[in-house]
Amino acid sequence: MAEPAEYPPFQLGKPRFQQTSFYGRFRHFLDIVDPRTLFVTESRLKGAVQLLEDYKHGTLPPGVTNKEAIIHPDTNEKIFMPFRMSGYIPFGTPIVVGLLLPNQTLVSTVFWQWLNQSHNACVNYANRNATKPSPTSKFIQGYLGAVISAVSIAVGLNVLVQRANKFTPATRLLIQRFVPFPAVASANICNVVLMRHTELEEGIDVLDSNGNIVGSSRIAAKHALIETALTRVVLPMPILVLPPIIMSILEKTSLLRARPRMVLPVQGFVCLAAFGLALPLAISLFPQMSEIETSRLEPEIAMATTSKTVVYNKGL
């Protein structure tokens, strides 16, 4: 069957949908996080790898799509199931449920924050840009910084809330449910800074309208880090903020009051729905390739091209 007309022609490593619009990015990330790809058989996966090899040699059959999200685009190796982007929601939802459990103890707070940052670190490493070698120490540094900041903020905020005598027990419990968001958001920023701070010194590649590398820009690197940090703050917001609000309303209903054992399954479903809807929406807010005016960059960059604007990869 031929590819639908709405899709651009097949290009190896290129998204099926235009990335200049929010809708195009949203459709692209729906493909990326689609959990159905977790159940692709080994034989079908090998067939997909062979199709990529056929494409490289110019023998790709007509009507083939660029839809598999199981193998790493740089190494052509199979990504471990829990660390695929398509597994981020099903394997991440139980962790979100754990983060949002009420009446957290010190041990449970530390455990769930550690598990969340460990899962994020594994997903980031498994889906890393492998075109340029990066020392493992950089990933370890970012991981340790994220864990320490997440645990410190979560524990610190919980202690402050518990010592706040002005709050009623019900208010204190409600506030504690929102503690995971600032802890996770702060850890995400810390992770970005620790893992990519060298880009501020060395710069990142900027490309002209033809895709040619114009040079390496520290100013573009600064913009890329700010945009990535904002993305990392927006990403957990609906996942860690919406469920506590929804659950605080549902727990007051007669159904859950009469059946308290249903609270945890209902919370799990709410977290899954919030995760599934919010993840592709959040990561679609900003384009992967950002544009900046050449006049705002270093003089040597402006002199090296006639393009009024250049683009750079902001990263994830």
Side-chain angles (χ1 to χ4, degrees):
M1 182 182 294
E3 186 77 353
E6 61 180 308
Y7 299 162
F10 180 89
Q11 288 182 286
L12 186 62
K14 298 292 185 180
R16 294 194 303 156
F17 302 95
Q18 296 295 332
Q19 300 296 287
T20 53
S21 67
F22 173 81
Y23 177 74
R25 295 192 296 272
F26 178 68
R27 290 294 301 273
H28 168 65
F29 283 113
L30 280 180
D31 278 349
I32 296 299
V33 303
D34 188 350
R36 291 177 298 178
T37 60
L38 294 173
F39 306 103
V40 172
T41 62
E42 191 71 24
S43 59
R44 185 182 172 190
L45 177 59
K46 289 181 179 179
V49 174
Q50 184 58 50
L51 286 174
L52 291 177
E53 290 298 319
D54 292 342
Y55 177 84
K56 293 177 182 178
H57 296 90
T59 58
L60 185 70
V64 176
T65 68
N66 185 20
K67 197 174 181 179
E68 299 295 348
I70 300 175
I71 58 175
H72 195 286
D74 299 328
T75 64
N76 282 334
E77 296 178 356
K78 184 178 180 180
I79 300 174
F80 186 45
M81 184 182 290
F83 306 147
R84 300 173 193 165
M85 286 305 298
S86 55
Y88 197 58
I89 293 174
F91 288 98
T93 297
I95 299 176
V96 174
V97 174
L99 286 170
L100 297 176
L101 287 174
N103 298 316
Q104 294 266 14
T105 64
L106 175 62
V107 174
S108 64
T109 298
V110 172
F111 171 75
W112 288 113
Q113 289 291 343
W114 165 78
L115 185 61
N116 179 55
Q117 293 304 325
S118 297
H119 180 245
N120 288 341
C122 290
V123 171
N124 290 338
Y125 184 80
N127 295 275
R128 71 195 183 281
N129 185 332
T131 55
K132 293 182 180 180
S134 182
T136 306
S137 59
K138 182 179 292 187
F139 287 95
I140 296 176
Q141 184 183 44
Y143 167 66
L144 291 177
V147 170
I148 292 172
S149 60
V151 170
S152 301
I153 293 172
V155 171
L157 288 177
N158 275 325
V159 170
L160 289 175
V161 172
Q162 290 172 1
R163 291 182 178 179
N165 297 324
K166 295 181 180 180
F167 297 139
T168 63
T171 303
R172 189 179 294 113
L173 179 61
L174 180 61
I175 294 175
Q176 283 181 314
R177 285 184 163 181
F178 292 96
V179 166
F181 170 66
V184 171
S186 301
N188 288 346
I189 294 176
C190 182
N191 180 271
V192 171
V193 173
L194 288 175
M195 291 190 63
R196 297 179 57 181
H197 67 90
T198 54
E199 294 179 7
L200 296 175
E201 302 171 0
E202 301 173 1
I204 59 174
D205 291 341
V206 292
L207 295 79
D208 60 19
S209 56
N210 296 320
N212 300 316
I213 297 177
V214 177
S216 187
S217 170
R218 292 185 297 274
I219 297 176
K222 180 180 178 180
H223 283 270
L225 259 66
I226 293 175
E227 291 171 1
T228 303
L230 288 174
T231 303
R232 295 288 184 92
V233 171
V234 171
L235 180 56
M237 187 180 296
I239 301 169
L240 296 177
V241 173
L242 287 180
I245 296 175
I246 295 173
M247 288 305 300
S248 65
I249 297 174
L250 294 179
E251 287 173 359
K252 296 177 181 178
T253 61
S254 57
L255 176 65
L256 291 187
R257 282 185 174 181
R259 301 171 179 82
R261 292 184 178 180
M262 290 184 61
V263 172
L264 188 58
V266 170
Q267 180 170 330
F269 176 78
V270 170
C271 289
L272 178 62
F275 211 159
L277 292 173
L279 179 62
L281 286 172
I283 58 182
S284 302
L285 290 177
F286 305 102
Q288 182 68 32
M289 300 298 294
S290 296
E291 189 176 70
I292 187 171
E293 294 178 359
T294 310
S295 58
R296 298 174 60 187
L297 300 178
E298 292 86 347
E300 59 270 22
I301 299 292
M303 294 175 61
T305 180
T306 57
S307 299
K308 293 184 178 180
T309 60
V310 291
V311 295
Y312 57 90
N313 189 333
K314 74 173 182 64
L316 291 175

